[in-house]
Amino acid sequence: MVIGALAEADGPRSAAELSRAIGESVPLSSLYRSLAVLEEVGVLAPHYSSPGLTRYELAEWLSGHHHHLVCIGCGRVQDLEADDAIERRLQEIVADVARAASFAELNHALEIEGHCARCA
Amino acid sequence: MVIGALAEADGPRSAAELSRAIGESVPLSSLYRSLAVLEEVGVLAPHYSSPGLTRYELAEWLSGHHHHLVCIGCGRVQDLEADDAIERRLQEIVADVARAASFAELNHALEIEGHCARCA
DNA sequence: TACTCGAATGAGAATCATTAGCAAAAGGAG
DNA sequence: CTCCTTTTGCTAATGATTCTCATTCGAGTA
């Protein structure tokens, strides 16, 4: 149910939001347990963008590589896929920059802050 | 004292870390109050990268624009400035991508995950 | 110098998301 | 059907952060 709910979502979701999405029938302790397991096995990826709460999304091998638009107005995080040409240019930049800091890059994401269409 | 400690740091710091840095003399309630005020007036910027805790850094108008290297091993976040040429290319990409999503960009940061030199 | 009153402080209680503990319920092999 | 292991759901515990409130400070005033 968690995976289904996240597959329908357009961005990361918190435990509370997921609980609502799947109908409150699952006790929170079970939900948190499932989230922990799914994260551990690499199906979910945590995302932190608001104080004191963790949102989850499908790992990129399931959802595809993407970036995040974080709305300062409503706090929502929206996924965004860039087209290949842009992604290629970005990957170059990331590689350059990580190499310069002798940092072993495993993944990257562009976090863009601003106002979403609704909050503009 | 908070600003001084953050000016010396090479990345965002949590309330607990700051408390240690300034010698535990300031009560936590005061420290949190100061952090809230400094954030509100735009001197500090919060950063979220670990579950359940907020780290602060100097706002970009004080520290300069930069990106983040997030170490999966130790959880540390390190600041990283890119040189102008790279930054220019990156800014183009961000503008493209935000426009495509009709999102009003105010700021962006590249979050690079991987292993830092120590945790490699 | 003493007085007044609003703002700042500190200690501790309260809150919220999350985690841990544990007894009861399920599942599965024999 | 029985025994044993795993999973569940409820509740209490935890940890970071925020709130409350009585106290202290300080600037301005007589």
Side-chain angles (χ1 to χ4, degrees), chain A residues 15 29 32-33 52-54:
Chain A
S29 58
Y32 277 110
R33 238 189 310 246
L53 84 82
T54 302

Side-chain angles (χ1 to χ4, degrees), chain B residues 1 15-31:
Chain B
M1 291 163 88
E17 288 163 341
L18 286 170
S19 177
R20 237 170 284 131
I22 64 187
E24 259 124 37
S25 45
V26 177
L28 279 187
S29 57
S30 298
L31 178 54

Side-chain angles (χ1 to χ4, degrees), chain A residues 1-13:
Chain A
M1 292 163 86
V2 165
I3 295 175
L6 287 177
E8 310 241 296
D10 66 344
R13 293 287 180 269

Side-chain angles (χ1 to χ4, degrees), chain A residues 67-71 76-80 110 112, chain B residues 97-98 101 103:
Chain A
H67 304 283
H68 289 127
L69 301 171
V70 180
C71 179
R76 261 314 160 95
V77 180
Q78 197 185 332
D79 289 346
L80 176 65
L110 208 38
I112 305 181
Chain B
V97 136
F103 190 86

Side-chain angles (χ1 to χ4, degrees), chain A residues 69 80 112, chain B residues 91-105:
Chain A
L69 301 171
L80 176 65
I112 305 181
Chain B
Q91 180 60 58
E92 268 174 48
I93 291 180
V94 170
D96 275 7
V97 136
R99 184 165 353 95
S102 51
F103 190 86
E105 187 224 344

Side-chain angles (χ1 to χ4, degrees), chain B residues 49-90:
Chain B
S49 53
S50 316
L53 86 84
T54 302
R55 282 189 253 249
Y56 290 91
E57 58 186 350
L58 296 182
E60 296 207 332
W61 64 272
L62 288 169
S63 65
H65 178 56
H66 60 269
H67 304 283
H68 289 128
L69 301 171
V70 180
C71 179
I72 294 178
C74 60
R76 262 313 161 94
V77 180
Q78 197 186 330
D79 288 348
L80 175 65
E81 291 183 44
D83 64 52
D84 286 357
I86 287 191
E87 201 55 61
R88 229 173 354 257
R89 282 199 287 156
L90 189 54

